Amino acid sequence: MEILSLLGDGMLLALQPLNLMLIIVGVTIGLFIGAMPGLGSVNGVAILLPITFLVPPSGAIIFLAAIYYGAMYGGAISSITLGIPGASTAVATTFDGRPLARQGRASLALVTAAIASFIGGTVANVFFTAFAPLLASVALSFGPPEIFALMLLAFATFVGLGGDDIPKTIFSICFGLVLGAIGFDQISGAPRLVLFDINGFLQGIGFLVLAIGVYGIGEMLWTIEQSRGDVESTTPKMTMKGMAADTAESMRRGWKGTAIGSILGFFVGILPAAGATPASLMSYGVAKMVSRNPKDYGRGNPDGVAAPEAANNSASTGSMLPMLTLGIPGSPTTAILLGGMVIWGLVPGPMLFVNETEFVWGLIGSFYISNIAAVLINLAFIPVFIWMLRMPFTILAPMIFVLSIAGGFAATRDMFDIWLIVIFGLGAFVLRRFDYPLAPAVLAIVLGPIAEPTLRQSLLLSSGDPSIFFTRPVAGPITVVALILILLPLLKLLRRGKAAEGAGRPS
Amino acid sequence: MSFTKGGVFKAACAALIVLSPLPAVAQDWEPRRPIDFTIMAGAGGGADQIARFLQSVAERYDLTNRPLVPTNRGGGSGAEALLHVNSASDPDHTILVTLNSFFTTPIRQDNLGIDIQTFTPVAMMGVDPFVLWVHVDSGITSLDQWLETVRGMNGDYVMGGTGTGQEDSIVIAYMSDAFDISVNYIPYDGGGAVARDLAGQQIMATVNNPAEAKGFYEAGQFVPLVAFSDERLPAYPDVPTMIEMGHDFSYYNQRAVVGAPGMSDEAAAYYQDVFTQIYESDEWQAYLESESLSPLWMDAEQQRAYWATQVETHRALLAALGE
């Protein structure tokens, strides 16, 4: 019961007028930073870090954590309304959020995102409060072979992600992996695949550049082509009654995705090097894989919005765990928060929980309060976001274009990335015409740069012996499950091919 | 140390008044747009922590009229950052936070076409020492014991670091040569990841800056065996130095700020003034002490001379590494 009293004290600290105000302001800022394409929690936290000197450390981290939370909620907004991922963590939200919006059901998608985020965040908070020190040791037991096994598992869920056309899915994965390999090699430091000797390729291709190209520009071109410029504008209405109905529907149709995202997201989040982006993508894949109607995914299934949104909130709380218990960042944003703690004169590391009880529990308490504040503020703004959708497409399309370009530039401030976005947008449009699934490529560019170094580190550890992935107690079972998942659809494909041959029909 | 808002403001004003009698040229030039503050390493590591610390001190005392905008460009052992700064379109608004890869990367990759002497010296904020760490569960408490263990494992002793040719690998290469040992070296993408995997015992030992290992040391998980500094580190008085053990070797990571090639003298004077103020701030002095950095203040000319000697030293060290 000691934990409960510590948590109670922490919540009281978070509810002090100054801290409560910081939470509300932080969540609101985060919501809008998250909703801006290109800008995510990393940028928000980094930009606002220096001004936190004006308040005591506990207030400062509460403020930054509130921004982090708000951004996780906000990312979904432009993913759903405009089809441009608001942040890297919200790319998976576009898969089903955008089709829902095009069917005039944007309010259902937005409400689902908000509620799934709330539940994901709350589940993660409870895990965090109850088991933090125990889970920290789980995080440490994940060395390179375990992380690689986990990435393999994630790739296995992709195979089910691209519809039934497995060869095209594999092509898409390989394309993403190649894009992810461009730039400096992490292990040897040598430059790779610097196409045409253009220096811009040295820094590699950012995940966001591909995502904005594919989903911002590519989606816009696709819409124009499909409708021949005559886009039927949906007129979504927003009433209190409608919102209540949407809430009920999102609970009914999105509970499974929410449950998967909340739990899986948290565990992926606490692992070093992973963070909320892989967590949300993996949760989407798993939700689709276990669903009875996987074909509904990508066509506007609320479960496909709930899974990644629950996961990215859950993972962002999860990634605070290694930061607070071990002093190790679990995501790029927590890396910056950690820098903040040094600036405020705290020593991150295993002793923080012991030496700075008030700070740690004040922060955990603030997670609960921020989560409630974020869901309320988000729901309150939904009518505003819906209103944006009622603009005619002739106004919306140029807006999407400008936001895509500005968002891509804001992330790296490099003109080269803008050209890449345009090229990827055109390429995505062409590939889509030929029914190539693009989500697996986007996933591969995120996970490839995590999988490749861990594979090589593992093989260095074992002097080149691949059995390291099977003999280690944690890596072994994960690898076996991943291999089964990859082989199953391939076997099915082969059998179907044979059956078709047997019947004398060309397949 | 506690500050009230008024106190901070007064202290800042006082600092400005005390430090302002500089040549008139320094006041003539001021940044006209946000300053590109490139970091030669990824987010979360030692260099990143320092860069964000410097930024926050500048912000706290309002030392720059336009904000410093930190960007991590850690790819290719800092090659990405060097190329970015080397070809900066606006050298007056581009500065770089450096490590020793400022010296080693242009030597190892001479096709990059980087000549560091064309860069503009701004400030040497301090040098970061290295320490050999093991996990407490290994039971090793002295260098002799460690050497015995490493020799007993015939090259299977696993050490982690930030990559061949990087600072820690130079130290490990020195030890391999001096003590005739061989280890299995696993590269990671930053000192933070290395510390994490030592804490999880995925690897057996590391050579790391105190700043990155301190949290685990205070929790009793890491044991320092030997410091590669000139003198014993004040925060680790019981840890012997390599020099005491009769081996004339010390190695530090530089924490310096440099300007882009082609920066105007006025702009250079401006940034030198800003970083001198940061260097003299109570916050930075406290940071140097708590993270075991050694002060090594130099003016611009001394920095250029220091670069030249460091390039020669590293050329020899890398040649010994077989790079």
Side-chain angles (χ1 to χ4, degrees):
Chain A
M1 283 308 97
E2 198 201 337
I3 284 178
L4 285 184
S5 81
L6 285 168
L7 179 66
D9 290 346
M11 282 195 186
L12 283 180
L13 181 72
L15 283 171
Q16 280 172 8
L18 173 69
N19 290 343
L20 189 62
M21 187 198 80
L22 287 171
I23 287 177
I24 292 171
V25 173
V27 164
T28 313
I29 294 177
L31 198 65
F32 282 91
I33 287 179
M36 264 301 292
L39 291 182
S41 57
V42 185
N43 314 80
V45 170
I47 294 164
L48 293 166
L49 179 63
I51 70 162
T52 56
F53 263 134
L54 302 173
V55 292
S58 56
I61 190 130
I62 285 172
F63 179 61
L64 295 178
I67 294 175
Y68 194 14
Y69 252 102
M72 287 299 153
Y73 277 85
I77 292 161
S78 50
S79 295
I80 291 168
T81 55
L82 302 176
I84 323 169
S88 59
T89 49
V91 171
T93 313
T94 55
F95 299 164
D96 278 277
R98 180 67 183 147
L100 273 174
R102 290 183 57 183
Q103 293 156 21
R105 311 232 42 204
S107 63
L108 173 64
L110 288 169
V111 170
T112 306
I115 290 175
S117 295
F118 176 69
I119 296 175
T122 307
V123 168
N125 283 336
V126 172
F127 278 141
F128 194 124
T129 312
F131 308 114
L134 183 75
L135 288 169
S137 61
V138 173
L140 277 184
S141 70
F142 270 67
E146 285 75 21
I147 307 252
F148 177 73
L150 193 74
M151 290 302 121
L152 202 62
L153 187 64
F155 280 115
T157 63
F158 290 20
V159 177
L161 204 73
D164 284 328
D165 201 334
I166 289 169
K168 281 182 177 167
T169 304
I170 291 174
F171 169 83
S172 185
I173 289 178
C174 292
F175 184 64
L177 286 177
V178 170
L179 290 181
I182 290 177
F184 288 106
D185 171 20
Q186 255 188 54
I187 301 274
S188 70
R192 295 190 301 199
L193 291 173
V194 183
L195 309 170
F196 314 111
D197 282 330
I198 299 173
N199 272 347
F201 283 113
L202 280 173
Q203 53 183 324
I205 293 178
F207 155 68
L208 214 62
V209 168
L210 182 69
I212 291 181
V214 169
Y215 292 101
I217 309 278
E219 167 83 23
M220 187 184 67
L221 292 174
W222 175 253
T223 310
I224 293 173
E225 201 252 4
Q226 287 294 296
S227 59
R228 305 270 167 221
D230 179 31
V231 179
E232 214 178 295
S233 66
T234 52
T235 47
K237 290 207 180 72
M238 201 66 211
T239 58
M240 278 316 280
K241 211 170 135 196
M243 211 146 124
D246 283 338
T247 309
E249 188 177 349
S250 74
M251 297 285 231
R252 188 162 48 77
R253 294 180 62 193
W255 67 269
K256 219 194 255 171
T258 308
I260 291 169
S262 303
I263 295 167
L264 187 65
F266 185 74
F267 284 98
V268 175
I270 64 171
L271 299 177
T277 306
S280 64
L281 294 166
M282 281 177 76
S283 297
Y284 182 89
V286 171
K288 180 175 177 179
M289 207 170 59
V290 302
S291 165
R292 246 183 254 147
N293 307 310
K295 288 198 167 155
D296 286 357
Y297 282 76
R299 292 182 187 155
N301 186 335
D303 239 9
V305 175
E309 279 305 307
N312 68 26
N313 266 57
S314 187
S316 55
T317 305
S319 64
M320 298 270 189
L321 194 140
M323 177 186 86
L324 287 176
T325 53
L326 302 167
I328 292 161
S331 70
T333 312
T334 49
I336 294 171
L337 288 178
L338 206 60
M341 284 162 57
V342 177
I343 295 168
W344 304 317
L346 298 164
V347 181
M351 297 311 281
L352 192 75
F353 244 82
V354 183
N355 294 341
E356 306 283 347
T357 323
E358 191 187 285
F359 172 84
V360 169
W361 286 97
L363 176 61
I364 298 175
S366 86
F367 292 165
Y368 286 85
I369 314 287
S370 295
N371 204 19
I372 294 169
V375 74
L376 293 178
I377 293 172
N378 191 356
L379 286 173
F381 274 114
I382 285 179
V384 180
F385 300 128
I386 295 283
W387 170 81
M388 276 197 325
L389 267 184
R390 299 175 67 174
M391 277 184 271
F393 192 71
T394 41
I395 293 177
L396 209 53
M399 225 173 82
I400 292 177
F401 186 77
V402 169
L403 279 176
S404 296
I405 300 291
F409 187 74
T412 56
R413 288 186 296 280
D414 194 340
M415 259 322 273
F416 180 72
D417 284 348
I418 305 303
W419 298 119
L420 281 182
I421 287 176
V422 174
I423 292 167
F424 284 139
L426 292 170
F429 170 68
V430 173
L431 284 177
R432 200 164 165 189
R433 289 282 304 166
F434 294 105
D435 278 332
Y436 279 88
L438 291 164
V442 174
L443 307 191
I445 203 175
V446 179
L447 301 189
I450 304 175
E452 191 214 326
T454 50
L455 170 67
R456 289 166 68 184
Q457 284 163 346
S458 307
L459 291 176
L460 280 170
L461 275 171
S462 69
S463 315
D465 182 0
S467 69
I468 188 170
F469 298 112
F470 297 96
T471 51
R472 306 222 331 175
V474 182
I478 304 179
T479 312
V480 171
V481 172
L483 288 180
I484 292 173
L485 286 178
I486 292 174
L487 292 176
L488 262 184
L490 284 178
L491 282 178
K492 230 187 268 173
L493 185 80
L494 281 178
R495 208 182 306 151
R496 210 185 324 159
K498 265 200 189 130
E501 244 171 65
R505 274 176 288 142
S507 58
Chain B
M1 189 171 34
S2 80
F3 282 92
T4 59
K5 265 186 239 170
V8 171
F9 182 70
K10 276 180 210 153
C13 290
L16 282 173
I17 293 164
V18 172
L19 292 160
S20 53
L22 274 157
V25 270
Q27 266 96 54
D28 287 345
W29 191 89
E30 280 200 324
R32 292 176 303 278
R33 53 191 204 88
I35 302 150
D36 179 343
F37 193 46
T38 296
I39 305 163
M40 222 173 156
D48 184 56
Q49 266 184 24
I50 285 173
R52 295 189 191 277
F53 194 96
L54 298 176
Q55 179 208 7
S56 63
V57 176
E59 198 81 23
R60 183 174 206 165
Y61 295 123
D62 204 9
L63 299 179
T64 54
N65 65 327
R66 291 283 186 278
L68 292 164
V69 185
T71 324
N72 295 96
R73 294 182 193 271
S77 310
E80 185 191 338
L82 287 171
L83 283 174
H84 170 77
V85 173
N86 198 41
S87 59
S89 54
D90 185 0
D92 280 1
H93 294 90
T94 308
I95 53 179
L96 175 71
V97 182
T98 62
L99 296 71
N100 284 2
S101 46
F102 181 64
F103 310 118
T104 54
T105 299
I107 299 175
R108 295 174 62 219
Q109 303 187 28
D110 54 6
N111 57 336
L112 294 175
I114 303 275
D115 175 8
I116 59 165
Q117 288 295 345
T118 61
F119 285 62
T120 313
V122 172
M124 169 59 97
M125 306 304 291
V127 289
D128 216 343
F130 285 91
V131 173
L132 172 65
W133 307 90
V134 292
H135 197 278
V136 68
D137 289 355
S138 69
I140 297 171
T141 51
S142 72
L143 184 67
D144 286 337
Q145 234 179 326
W146 184 77
L147 288 170
E148 202 179 307
T149 311
V150 175
R151 289 198 182 106
M153 288 185 67
N154 258 335
D156 283 338
Y157 191 85
V158 180
M159 287 186 76
T162 52
T164 308
Q166 297 290 81
E167 294 83 0
D168 61 87
S169 79
I170 288 175
V171 176
I172 293 171
Y174 169 80
M175 285 197 297
S176 305
D177 189 49
F179 299 106
D180 193 25
I181 51 173
S182 73
V183 299
N184 182 4
Y185 181 79
I186 314 286
Y188 284 84
D189 63 353
V194 176
R196 173 196 75 219
D197 270 11
L198 180 60
Q201 299 195 65
Q202 309 290 342
I203 52 179
M204 300 169 190
T206 97
V207 170
N208 217 334
N209 297 126
E212 278 159 332
K214 191 176 155 203
F216 294 101
Y217 167 72
E218 287 180 356
Q221 293 186 15
F222 285 9
V223 180
L225 297 181
V226 58
F228 301 92
S229 50
D230 292 329
E231 280 155 22
R232 287 196 180 204
L233 301 171
Y236 304 87
D238 299 331
V239 180
T241 65
M242 206 64 180
I243 293 173
E244 281 173 44
M245 295 176 158
H247 296 271
D248 187 19
F249 180 82
S250 69
Y251 192 74
Y252 293 89
N253 204 352
Q254 77 156 357
R255 305 297 187 189
V257 180
V258 306
M263 179 182 273
S264 67
D265 293 344
E266 293 79 16
Y270 176 86
Y271 293 118
Q272 282 156 4
D273 176 40
V274 166
F275 283 94
T276 306
Q277 292 181 50
I278 295 176
Y279 181 83
E280 285 166 0
S281 69
D282 291 342
E283 287 83 358
W284 180 252
Q285 291 302 322
Y287 185 89
L288 288 179
E289 195 187 326
S290 75
E291 306 299 319
S292 299
L293 270 71
S294 306
L296 188 69
W297 186 250
M298 298 183 214
D299 65 27
E301 277 317 302
Q302 288 168 322
Q303 284 179 59
R304 276 197 191 282
Y306 180 77
W307 293 355
T309 56
Q310 285 293 311
V311 167
E312 284 321 306
T313 312
H314 280 96
R315 206 182 287 281
L317 286 168
L318 289 173
L321 251 172
E323 277 272 322

